[in-house]
Amino acid sequence: MAFLPFNITKQKKLRVIIVGGGYAGLAALTNLLQFAPDTDITLIDPRTQHLKITHLHETFRYPLTDLLFSFGDLEIRYGCRHVLASVDLDQNTLQDCQDSKQLILDDAVLNFDYMIIASGCENSASGLMDSKNVLSLSDFTAANGSDLLGNFLDQNNVPNQAISVVGGGATGIQFLFEIKQFLMRKKYKIKLRLIHSGGRVLEQFPDGFGTYAESRMRDLEIAFYPDTYYSYQDSDKIFLTEKITKRQFELPSSMAILFLGKKQQKTYTANAFGQIIINRKPLQNIFTAGDCSYYQSPGSNTRTAQSAVRKGKLVARNILRHSGFPGLLEPYIHHELGYVVSIGAADAVGWLVSEGNIITGIPALTIKELVEAQYDLLLAGIDTYLV
């Protein structure tokens, strides 16, 4: 069980900089203030709002505003400060920050006792946006899915339209079924297909995930092209390549929506306590968490919201431990307790406790809703994460 052991504080008020206002950054912020309410926190993020990005597929049913949490409201609620800026820190800069306990941001100098890097990852499709009728995850961060798709289809009302979803991971599958149900609700007579480079969908999960999702795809008449690479989309066709034979071919397609995963940007290697390692030595006052981090520990390094939250909470506790006496730090040993993938509004597939314990339908949806409520409570300052 995660807990903060007894420690004697060496200084009354800590100054902490958090770079990144995603799941890990906000988990760290709320936990710091839970155990040390007088902590002086500066949050640096280029956006004005926190986005619960793992819920974006739901904007085919609910407004995007339901998924946003203003950093301005965060400042009022917690008394922290938000700086609107992007930060790119290489190893030399991080070492300088450790030595000086300062972060130079444009013309400003921010002094700190500790810094947390939780800057996340970039969408892999960012370099493939070669057509106005190609969308990626980033497009859904700026507008409702129902508006993006509905406006496009209404403005391009041509016979035999088809939509191609590219990517059979968790994000692609969740969007795929939401799009299908949106088209059915709006009575659009449009074909929907999934293009995937792997042999089956949801390959990172137990076999039961892919089997269940593909059976539901067949029920809804969603065409599936496994072992197929995406090349590009033009005005009315999508160009593809078979993975094994290398044969190139094309299909009628009005729009391509790309979900190609997270791009491997800068990854910060950390020790088991979350401290960034440079030249084989940990930076004592600079920690990392979230998708940009890789911990040298037995804990889970998956790029999921669950791991991001756990890492964020861990580094918050370790900062308070490190700042006090005796300064013993807690290692990261968290393993995921389950995972649920939505299969539209009223269905889901997941595992709980053990990867062999596959659950589907209403039980899976119930677990998903409980996990979502738990994170909402964390943003409100109520920590119900026990392990």
Side-chain angles (χ1 to χ4, degrees):
M1 181 176 291
F3 65 98
L4 185 69
F6 177 77
N7 68 314
I8 301 173
T9 304
K10 292 180 181 177
Q11 58 191 94
K12 185 176 180 181
K13 189 172 185 177
L14 290 176
R15 298 166 300 176
V16 179
I17 292 174
I18 301 176
V19 179
Y23 288 102
L26 292 199
L29 183 148
T30 54
N31 262 245
L32 281 168
L33 295 176
Q34 176 185 356
F35 293 111
D38 62 345
T39 304
D40 181 353
I41 297 179
T42 299
L43 176 67
I44 302 174
D45 194 285
R47 303 161 297 180
T48 59
Q49 301 177 96
H50 168 67
L51 170 64
K52 292 189 284 185
I53 195 167
T54 55
H55 298 263
L56 276 180
H57 56 280
E58 296 174 5
T59 63
F60 286 93
R61 292 179 278 130
Y62 306 117
L64 179 63
T65 51
D66 287 0
L67 308 181
L68 299 174
F69 183 65
S70 167
F71 290 138
D73 290 343
L74 193 77
E75 290 178 304
I76 295 170
R77 179 178 296 180
Y78 293 114
C80 58
R81 178 166 65 120
H82 171 229
V83 176
L84 192 71
S86 296
V87 178
D88 184 20
L89 300 169
D90 58 23
Q91 289 195 1
N92 291 333
T93 305
L94 283 172
Q95 186 65 62
D96 290 343
C97 289
Q98 171 64 41
D99 295 340
S100 65
K101 303 296 190 300
Q102 291 181 335
L103 174 64
I104 299 175
L105 197 63
D106 295 328
D107 296 327
V109 176
L110 303 179
N111 296 303
F112 66 86
D113 298 302
Y114 294 92
M115 183 162 61
I116 301 170
I117 311 299
S119 49
C121 284
E122 182 183 342
N123 177 15
S124 290
S126 59
L128 298 172
M129 310 306 291
D130 51 6
S131 175
K132 65 180 182 180
N133 55 342
V134 178
L135 301 178
S136 73
L137 188 65
S138 60
D139 292 289
F140 294 93
T141 67
N144 296 327
S146 56
D147 293 337
L148 279 173
L149 202 55
N151 292 340
F152 177 86
L153 295 174
D154 292 341
Q155 293 169 12
N156 297 270
N157 189 14
V158 295
N160 301 319
Q161 288 197 81
I163 295 174
S164 304
V165 173
V166 181
T171 302
I173 289 298
Q174 292 184 137
F175 268 89
L176 179 76
F177 283 97
E178 289 286 354
I179 291 169
K180 180 62 178 181
Q181 293 180 357
F182 170 78
L183 295 175
M184 293 168 63
R185 285 197 305 272
K186 297 297 183 179
K187 302 189 185 309
Y188 288 111
K189 295 183 179 180
I190 295 171
K191 295 179 180 179
L192 182 64
R193 68 171 66 96
L194 176 68
I195 312 297
H196 184 48
S197 61
R200 62 179 182 87
V201 303
L202 301 175
E203 293 164 302
Q204 69 271 47
F205 302 106
D207 290 344
F209 277 55
T211 301
Y212 188 76
E214 289 178 23
S215 70
R216 297 295 295 123
M217 288 165 58
R218 288 191 292 271
D219 292 342
L220 294 172
E221 298 181 339
I222 300 172
F224 181 33
Y225 290 81
D227 295 317
T228 303
Y229 291 127
Y230 166 79
S231 296
Y232 66 96
Q233 164 84 41
D234 69 6
S235 60
D236 60 357
K237 294 184 183 67
I238 188 170
F239 293 82
L240 307 166
T241 303
E242 289 184 350
K243 181 178 181 179
I244 298 174
T245 66
K246 310 302 181 186
R247 180 181 72 91
Q248 298 180 338
F249 65 105
E250 61 190 54
L251 294 171
S253 179
S254 306
M255 170 185 281
I257 308 178
L258 311 182
F259 301 107
L260 304 179
K262 296 174 180 177
K263 184 177 180 180
Q264 185 75 26
Q265 276 186 305
K266 192 169 292 178
T267 299
Y268 300 98
T269 299
N271 61 15
F273 311 119
Q275 295 166 311
I276 291 179
I277 296 175
I278 293 180
N279 296 326
R280 299 183 181 180
K281 294 182 179 179
L283 302 181
Q284 295 296 313
N285 300 76
I286 302 180
F287 292 74
T288 185
D291 287 348
C292 66
S293 67
Y294 180 83
Y295 284 18
Q296 294 179 341
S297 78
S300 169
N301 277 299
T302 57
R303 291 178 175 178
T304 63
Q306 183 179 162
S307 289
V309 168
R310 302 296 178 162
K311 287 181 175 180
K313 286 163 53 66
L314 176 93
V315 298
R317 295 192 301 270
N318 276 344
I319 282 173
L320 297 179
R321 288 190 176 93
H322 190 272
S323 68
F325 179 82
L328 298 176
L329 303 188
E330 172 191 349
Y332 178 68
I333 57 175
H334 169 73
H335 289 279
E336 292 189 340
L337 304 177
Y339 198 94
V340 178
V341 177
S342 295
I343 307 293
D347 199 0
V349 58
W351 65 269
L352 182 64
V353 181
S354 166
E355 290 193 0
N357 183 28
I358 304 295
I359 51 177
T360 60
I362 298 301
L365 275 178
T366 301
I367 293 171
K368 184 174 184 292
E369 290 169 358
L370 288 173
V371 171
E372 292 166 2
Q374 193 176 31
Y375 182 70
D376 290 337
L377 286 171
L378 184 66
L379 290 182
I382 304 171
D383 188 355
T384 61
Y385 292 85
L386 297 179
V387 292

